Amino acid sequence: KEKTLLLTKMNANYENHFPHDTELMASFLRIILHVYTDPELQAVLGSKLESAFMTGLRFADPKLRCKFTEVLKENVSSDMFERLAALISPHNFNWKLIGSHFWIKQFIEMLLTVNDGSKSLRVTNEDLMLPSLMVCAMPDAASSSSSMELFSTTLDNPAPAAMEIGEGTLNSPTPSNLQVLAEKHGTFLENLKEHKSRDFVSSVCQLAHDSTELAHHLWVRVFKELWNTYTKDQQNRLCRDLPQFLCGSTLHDQGDLQPSSVGCFLESLRDVPVPLKPCYLKYLGSVHN
């Protein structure tokens, strides 16, 4: 009991009196993380330190924040629908404790990281692929063998050239420089094969944490795709739960914020058939504008 009281007071004092001391807050959050990673301590103190845990979920340091997110993932289902259902359930999460934070960022990371991260990345539209370095250097190289020979000859016996820029000159790339560039690019492409979808998704999620605008745009685009993967019964369940979640008292403090997580969520419902009763619309209009 004394430990719980001490940690609760520490959390309140750190946030109120030392909001910009990230090193001090990081040290405190490591203690909270220890509590939640120890089954015995979590059983006794976990429910009483939920506010501090929410602070960890929105902490600025990405490494420490990821550790809190991993703890959260371990305590919810790995199924994408069940995870979303858990996130919007007032019995599982009290988003009021996260304050004015744009909690859509947490939704994005929790849902996107459910995917099979072992798959390789590839371009779905080949029209977006850039031409090879050879074609860029010699546009007719792909269609003319003589041009290819000429290009090869030019590399073997380069002619000195320079481009005037103001009072100085800029030397044209030498064959050795082009070869080094091509080799580096080839190495880069080979290294890309080692990266899987989990690396890309994780990077996108971390970028969304740094940019509220990106998180807003990403959620609006992604939620429609998520909706289309759900079964009819799952969609009906969301149609029942989502309005109650958005109009819940835990999100009342989001009304004065701009951008607002509630506003972002409502925008994502534009393209999905989630009916909102007049009483819900009236509440959202008056509280969340």
Side-chain angles (χ1 to χ4, degrees):
K1 182 178 180 180
E2 291 80 5
K3 292 179 181 179
T4 305
L5 184 61
L6 175 62
L7 290 174
T8 304
K9 288 186 175 181
M10 287 173 65
N11 183 48
N13 281 286
Y14 283 170
E15 287 196 295
N16 294 333
H17 301 292
F18 309 101
H20 303 297
D21 193 337
T22 55
E23 185 176 349
L24 184 63
M25 180 59 75
S27 300
F28 168 70
L29 290 177
R30 290 189 188 96
I31 300 176
I32 301 300
L33 188 63
H34 173 70
V35 171
Y36 277 87
T37 51
D38 187 306
E40 294 183 2
L41 291 176
Q42 183 180 5
V44 177
L45 304 175
S47 60
K48 301 176 182 179
L49 296 175
E50 189 177 359
S51 175
F53 184 83
M54 287 294 194
T55 301
L57 288 178
R58 58 182 170 84
F59 191 57
D61 179 43
K63 293 183 179 180
L64 189 55
R65 183 178 63 234
C66 285
K67 292 180 180 179
F68 276 89
T69 305
E70 289 301 320
V71 173
L72 182 60
K73 291 176 184 177
E74 293 174 0
N75 287 275
V76 295
S77 172
S78 58
D79 178 77
M80 187 173 292
F81 171 77
E82 292 300 332
R83 184 167 286 190
L84 175 59
L87 290 174
I88 65 175
S89 171
H91 303 293
N92 294 322
F93 295 97
N94 183 4
W95 292 105
K96 184 176 183 178
L97 298 177
I98 209 166
S100 59
H101 182 72
F102 195 72
W103 43 258
I104 289 292
K105 299 174 181 179
Q106 279 64 41
F107 271 57
I108 291 174
E109 185 167 9
M110 290 293 293
L111 295 177
L112 291 189
T113 51
V114 173
N115 73 91
D116 181 8
S118 61
K119 294 184 178 180
S120 299
L121 298 176
R122 62 185 179 87
V123 179
T124 56
N125 185 357
E126 294 188 355
D127 294 336
L128 300 177
M129 297 178 67
L130 296 174
S132 67
L133 183 62
M134 184 70 76
V135 175
C136 291
M138 201 81 172
D140 297 331
S143 59
S144 172
S145 59
S146 61
S147 297
M148 186 73 73
E149 295 174 0
L150 176 61
F151 183 71
S152 177
T153 303
T154 304
L155 288 181
D156 294 335
N157 302 287
M163 183 187 300
E164 293 186 1
I165 300 181
E167 298 178 356
T169 59
L170 178 66
N171 293 327
S172 62
T174 63
S176 59
N177 290 338
L178 286 175
Q179 184 177 359
V180 171
L181 176 62
E183 290 176 353
K184 287 184 177 180
H185 185 63
T187 303
F188 169 73
L189 294 178
E190 286 296 322
N191 291 337
L192 285 181
K193 297 179 181 179
E194 301 177 3
H195 293 281
K196 304 300 181 181
S197 58
R198 70 168 65 89
D199 302 313
F200 174 76
V201 171
S202 176
S203 299
V204 170
C205 291
Q206 297 310 314
L207 286 173
H209 278 290
D210 291 337
S211 171
T212 300
E213 183 179 356
L214 173 62
H216 178 104
H217 176 75
L218 189 60
W219 178 255
V220 171
R221 296 289 299 273
V222 165
F223 184 75
K224 179 182 177 181
E225 303 301 327
L226 294 178
W227 179 272
N228 293 332
T229 65
Y230 298 147
T231 65
K232 190 66 177 177
D233 290 340
Q234 290 173 336
Q235 291 178 353
N236 290 336
R237 180 178 168 186
L238 288 179
C239 287
R240 182 186 70 247
D241 295 344
L242 277 176
Q244 298 177 12
F245 166 68
L246 295 174
C247 296
S249 59
T250 58
L251 303 182
H252 188 277
D253 294 341
Q254 289 273 324
D256 297 328
L257 301 178
Q258 193 61 244
S260 163
S261 296
V262 175
C264 177
F265 215 122
L266 283 173
E267 186 175 345
S268 69
L269 299 182
R270 253 184 341 193
D271 301 320
V272 297
V274 177
L276 292 174
K277 296 180 180 179
C279 57
Y280 290 141
L281 290 174
K282 181 179 180 181
Y283 173 84
L284 292 170
S286 60
V287 176
H288 298 282
N289 193 20

